[in-house]
Amino acid sequence: MALNALAVVLQRQRKLNEALEYYYRAITIAKTVNSPALLGTTYYNTATVHRSMKQYDSTLFYHRLALPLVREHGSLIALANCYTALGNLYRERATDTTSPLVRNMPTVDLITSFQQQKSEQQKIKKKFLDTAESYYLMALPIRQELGVHPGYSGFFHNFAKFYFFTDTPERGLIYARRAVEIDLQTKNENSLVHSYITLADIFERIQQFDSAYFYHKKYAGLQNSLLDSSVATKTSALREQYEAAKREHQIQLLTNEKNGQRNTFNVIAAALGIITLILA
C-alpha cells in the first residue's frame, strides 16, 4: 500500500516514469503476498499512468489485467471506474487514429491509397467508438445504483463527450445536462465548468447556436470566477508567507540585538574586572 501511495503522489506531480517504477514494484509485492484486490487496484493505477503518457497498448494491457480482479474482489465503485476508464480509452483511440500516408508510391496509386486508408480509419474509428459505448453502458447502471459519489458527475461528462464524436451527438445532451445537475447539487464548480463547455460544444455541433452561446457564456463566467478565486488564494498565501518571513526576520534582528548587548556587557564587565585587579 505504501508503494501505491508514493506512486499516486508522483503521478499527481506528473513524474510519470517514477510513478511507474513504484507501481511495478507494488505489482510484484501484491503477487508475492497473494492479494488479488491490491493487485487489481495496482494494475488499474498503472494503466492510468500509461494513459497519461498516451501509451494506449500498455493502458489496455493493464486495464484488461485489472478488470477481472476488480470484478471479483473490488468494490462497485472500482468496477464502475474500470468500465469508465476503458470507455475513455477507446474514445481517445477513436479520435487519434491518424497515420502517415504510404510514401514512395506512384502518383496514380497515391489517391487510391489515401482513399483506402481513410476508409480503413473510419472503420477503426467506428469500432473504437462502439467498444467505448459498450463500456460506458456497463458503467451506467452501477453509477446510477451508487447514486451521487466521487466521479459520478465525471462519468456523465465523459459519456457526453463520447457522443460528441459520434453520428448522434444530440444524445450527449442527456448526459451533459445530468452532469450539470450533479455539479450544481454538489456545488462542484471545478467540474461544472467542464460540463458547461461540453454542453456548448455539443449544441454547436448540432448547430443550435443560441444554446451554444448561452452555455459558453456560463462557462466563460464561471471560468473567470474560478481564475479570480485561484489568483486571490495564491495572493493570500504569498501574503501570509511574506508576513511570516517578515516576523521571522524581525525576531532574528531582536535576537541579534540582544546578543550584541549581552556581548557588550560581557566585554565591559571583563574590562572592569581587569582594571580592578590592576588597582588592587
Side-chain angles (χ1 to χ4, degrees):
M1 291 296 290
L3 289 175
N4 262 306
L6 285 170
V8 168
V9 171
L10 290 168
Q11 188 175 354
R12 288 174 179 168
Q13 295 173 347
R14 304 300 297 174
K15 298 177 180 178
L16 301 181
N17 287 317
E18 294 178 49
L20 279 178
E21 291 179 11
Y22 279 99
Y23 281 136
Y24 292 151
R25 288 167 59 187
I27 287 171
T28 301
I29 292 174
K31 288 179 179 178
T32 302
V33 300
N34 191 26
S35 175
L38 177 59
L39 185 59
T41 298
T42 310
Y43 280 148
Y44 174 84
N45 290 339
T46 305
T48 62
V49 178
H50 283 293
R51 180 191 168 200
S52 296
M53 300 169 77
K54 293 191 178 297
Q55 297 173 349
Y56 295 127
D57 290 341
S58 296
T59 305
L60 182 58
F61 173 77
Y62 283 104
H63 272 315
R64 282 177 170 169
L65 289 175
L67 186 56
L69 293 171
V70 172
R71 191 181 284 138
E72 185 172 352
H73 303 282
S75 63
L76 278 178
I77 192 168
L79 182 58
N81 287 340
C82 276
Y83 286 143
T84 304
L86 281 162
N88 293 339
L89 171 64
Y90 279 102
R91 186 196 73 213
E92 290 176 8
R93 289 294 299 270
T95 57
D96 189 21
T97 57
T98 56
S99 59
L101 289 173
V102 179
R103 302 182 186 277
N104 302 321
M105 291 183 63
T107 306
V108 68
D109 293 330
L110 191 58
I111 296 176
T112 303
S113 173
F114 177 78
Q115 291 172 339
Q116 289 174 345
Q117 186 182 48
K118 187 175 180 180
S119 175
E120 188 63 28
Q121 286 180 352
Q122 289 300 318
K123 291 178 183 177
I124 293 172
K125 180 179 179 179
K126 186 179 185 308
K127 179 182 177 183
F128 284 156
L129 288 174
D130 288 345
T131 305
E133 185 176 29
S134 69
Y135 280 116
Y136 283 131
L137 290 173
M138 282 190 276
L140 180 59
I142 301 174
R143 297 287 189 189
Q144 291 173 329
E145 179 183 345
L146 290 169
V148 176
H149 60 275
Y152 193 41
S153 170
F155 165 76
F156 288 105
H157 174 245
N158 282 313
F159 206 0
K161 285 175 66 177
F162 158 78
Y163 279 113
F164 176 84
F165 295 105
T166 69
D167 295 330
T168 55
E170 64 278 0
R171 294 180 64 183
L173 294 174
I174 300 170
Y175 301 106
R177 283 170 172 151
R178 183 67 180 120
V180 168
E181 290 175 4
I182 296 166
D183 291 333
L184 290 172
Q185 179 183 347
T186 57
K187 299 179 180 179
N188 188 347
E189 291 186 331
N190 289 309
S191 178
L192 180 61
V193 71
H194 295 295
S195 299
Y196 279 152
I197 194 60
T198 299
L199 269 171
D201 288 343
I202 294 174
F203 276 120
E204 183 179 359
R205 171 86 193 280
I206 61 178
Q207 299 185 355
Q208 293 187 18
F209 298 112
D210 287 348
S211 296
Y213 177 69
F214 173 80
Y215 282 106
H216 199 280
K217 279 186 66 177
K218 280 186 168 292
Y219 160 78
L222 183 54
Q223 178 80 338
N224 289 334
S225 173
L226 291 173
L227 182 60
D228 291 343
S229 176
S230 176
V231 170
T233 300
K234 289 180 180 178
T235 302
S236 177
L238 287 171
R239 185 182 296 112
E240 289 178 6
Q241 290 175 359
Y242 167 75
E243 294 296 338
K246 184 178 178 182
R247 285 194 298 271
E248 186 177 343
H249 179 65
Q250 290 173 339
I251 291 170
Q252 187 63 46
L253 287 176
L254 288 173
T255 301
N256 291 340
E257 185 178 345
K258 289 180 180 179
N259 288 338
Q261 291 173 351
R262 189 179 296 112
N263 291 336
T264 301
F265 174 79
N266 290 337
V267 169
I268 294 172
L272 289 174
I274 293 171
I275 293 172
T276 302
L277 288 172
I278 292 173
L279 292 176

